[in-house]
Amino acid sequence: MTQHRFGGHWTEAKLSVLGHYLGAFSTALKGKGFQLRYIDAFAGSGKFVPIRGDGRERLGSAQIALTVSGFHRYHFIEMKPRRCKALRQLAEMQPHKGIEVHEGDANQHLAEICRSTGWRGTRAVLFLDPYGMQVEWQTLEAVASTGAIDVWYLFPLSGVTRQLALNQDKLDDDKRRSLDRVLGTRTWREAFYAEEPTGDLFGAAPAVERHADSLAIETWVTARLRTLFPLVEGPLVLRLGRHGKLDSGPPLFGLYFLAANKSPAAQRAARSIATDIMGRLKKQAGIR
Ligand SMILES: C[S@@+](CC[C@H](N)C(=O)[O-])C[C@H]1O[C@@H](n2cnc3c(N)ncnc32)[C@H](O)[C@@H]1O
């Protein structure tokens, strides 16, 4: 099979956060009587080779999750048939693990998993690791409504910023629609853009320009996620730094931790684990 090549130094950072969280989550919920699930909505093939690096194959999120004990079921969602085939081979090699491979769009399969699961006795960790702007706000609504899923969401800060053209005239309908889908509202238009006085004596319409920079966009996205999830931590901003550095360069992704559970005790436990893991990675990688 051809190798799945993607990512860079930020890929290892997000996967390290995921691996540590899964271990701590399964330990914290051990013996509490819940069925534990791991949902990988953009599962890949289980392995990857970073675009920059030594060319060696690494374990992807699906295989990392399989190394963590304590989970009773795994949902691997993936669009590409070739990658699904590799995931099914993983499932065949470990039939006792309860692995289900869902071929197709993450939004559709996630909505179905959220709808068809009895969440009272189930807790899950969901990894949202898209290349770009594939996660729809409606999907986040379905996830939040379960009250039982902890999420690591690699939010596409650079993808969204790129779509938000500096001049509003340059925002075509496709861009507007994809921003509406990801952000779940049309209010970003007023939040990010304002009329610029032209000083034109002949009555030309004033230009509508984006005043929000990437930090303002990130802050707005964080507030928006807080309207849906009772607990939002992060983002850990992963940047396209030179020489493998995560602390400089333009922001690529914001890694958020979101918890759907409304119980204060569950939130305290999840917050403590998630912030500890993010804090350690920040220190190690010198991330702000
Ligand atoms: C960044 S990669 C995920 C890598 C994976 N988490 C890992 O660690 O190996 C994104 C994956 O999402 C898949 N994908 C893209 N759009 C999708 C969609 N709408 N639904 C499901 N999968 C999708 C791509 O084929 C790709 O394998």
Side-chain angles (χ1 to χ4, degrees), residues 8 38-39 64 90 121 149-151 176 185 201 219-220 259-260 265 269-270:
Y38 171 69
I39 310 169
I64 288 173
L90 278 180
I149 303 183
D150 291 354
V151 188
R176 285 172 208 261
T185 174
L201 297 176
T219 306
W220 187 91

Side-chain angles (χ1 to χ4, degrees), residues 137 155 157 183 192 214-229 231-237 254-258:
W137 187 261
F155 185 88
L157 285 174
L183 303 173
F192 298 152
S214 60
L215 182 60
I217 295 168
E218 173 198 316
T219 306
W220 187 91
V221 168
T222 307
R224 179 87 188 117
L225 289 168
R226 290 210 165 105
T227 65
L228 210 49
F229 289 89
L231 175 63
V232 175
E233 293 294 337
L236 188 69
V237 179
L255 183 60
Y256 281 96
F257 177 74
L258 317 167

Side-chain angles (χ1 to χ4, degrees), residues 176-228:
R176 285 172 208 261
R177 269 196 296 270
S178 77
L179 286 160
D180 291 348
R181 264 198 309 271
V182 171
L183 303 173
T185 174
R186 295 166 58 89
T187 58
W188 54 266
R189 292 163 175 76
E190 295 78 50
F192 298 152
Y193 290 88
E195 284 186 359
E196 282 297 310
T198 55
D200 186 331
L201 297 176
F202 304 102
V208 180
E209 290 184 0
R210 167 153 72 83
H211 54 79
D213 61 7
S214 60
L215 182 60
I217 295 168
E218 173 198 316
T219 306
W220 187 91
V221 168
T222 307
R224 179 87 188 117
L225 289 168
R226 290 210 165 105
T227 65
L228 210 49

Side-chain angles (χ1 to χ4, degrees), residues 4 6 15 42-44 60-61 78-80 83 104-106 129 131:
H4 186 188
F6 68 88
L15 291 176
F42 297 86
S61 52
E78 170 58 47
M79 186 88 121
K80 285 243 155 117
R83 294 183 187 146
D105 176 55
D129 183 21
Y131 283 139

